[in-house]
């Protein structure tokens, strides 16, 4: 089984995930909406919010074939499989490839990218706060999902208790704000 990314209606990721979960057996297909917990301030009050890491995307772990692809396309508000190859650049099929050739038409998420992402998420698919120490502009992560991953931290905002991290996603680098506790 491999991971694939789908473009979906932004703000409806959980709705679509629930539809997929009720349509497919969890042993055959796993749907993931990676989220992050971040601090926000409004009217002088601080609180934590949970937001998608990649708004407008869901990740699917399955053995992709044309039957699965077309069954997923029936889910409302699920728009397109990203990096779908098709035949000669066209999105329609002129012939049905052999079963063992079908996965060649669907681009998988790079194994290194998905491994880093899954390592950061907890059992509820949320990237929690990490506890960090700042000394002379050096960042040390004491605990949390970013422990031993200091290299992906690009910037610290002490006032907002956020860190900007760099994650690979679909062969490009994405900068994402995540919540931190500074000790």
């Amino acid at each position: 089984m491999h991971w694939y990314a789908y473009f979906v209606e932004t703000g409806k990721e959980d709705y679509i995930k629930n539809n997929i979960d009720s349509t497919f057996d969890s042993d055959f297909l796993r749907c993931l909406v990676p989220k992050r917990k971040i601090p926000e301030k409004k009217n002088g009050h601080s609180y934590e919010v949970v937001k998608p890491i990649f708004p407008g995307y869901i990740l699917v772990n399955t053995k992709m074939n044309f039957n699965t692809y077309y069954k997923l396309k029936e889910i409302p508000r699920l728009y397109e499989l990203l990096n779908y190859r098709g035949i000669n650049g066209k999105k329609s099929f002129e012939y049905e490839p052999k079963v063992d050739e079908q996965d060649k038409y669907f681009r998988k998420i790079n194994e290194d990218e998905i491994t880093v992402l899954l390592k950061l998420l907890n059992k509820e698919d949320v990237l929690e706060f990490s506890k960090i120490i700042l000394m002379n502009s050096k960042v040390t992560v004491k605990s949390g999902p970013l422990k031993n991953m200091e290299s992906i931290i690009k910037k610290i905002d002490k006032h907002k208790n956020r860190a900007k991290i760099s994650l690979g996603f679909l062969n490009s680098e994405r900068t994402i704000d995540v919540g931190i506790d500074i000790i």
Side-chain angles (χ1 to χ4, degrees), residues 61-157:
N61 184 246
T62 190
K63 183 170 179 6
M64 187 64 73
N65 58 39
F66 291 120
N67 290 336
T68 306
Y69 172 79
Y70 286 120
K71 193 166 183 179
L72 280 164
K73 287 287 286 176
E74 294 173 5
I75 305 286
R77 298 184 172 129
L78 188 137
Y79 297 134
E80 191 62 52
L81 176 66
L82 299 178
N83 292 324
Y84 168 59
R85 294 179 184 179
I87 297 172
N88 298 327
K90 296 178 182 174
K91 300 276 180 164
S92 61
F93 299 103
E94 298 168 5
Y95 72 98
E96 187 74 20
K98 296 176 189 168
V99 173
D100 60 340
E101 293 178 340
Q102 290 186 20
D103 71 333
K104 295 176 185 172
Y105 293 94
F106 307 102
R107 289 194 184 154
K108 305 163 190 83
I109 296 176
N110 183 313
E111 197 66 38
D112 295 335
E113 294 175 353
I114 198 69
T115 301
V116 170
L117 180 63
L118 293 175
K119 183 179 177 186
L120 291 171
L121 301 177
N122 65 14
K123 291 178 183 175
E124 289 80 37
D125 301 327
V126 177
L127 196 160
E128 295 279 348
F129 284 32
S130 292
K131 295 186 186 297
I132 67 162
I133 296 175
L134 282 174
M135 290 184 89
N136 301 328
S137 300
K138 184 175 185 259
V139 176
T140 306
V141 180
K142 282 302 195 186
S143 65
L146 295 174
K147 186 163 177 68
N148 300 322
M149 298 183 78
E150 286 86 355
S151 63
I152 68 170
I153 300 173
K154 301 303 176 193
K155 186 177 179 183
I156 300 289
D157 186 336

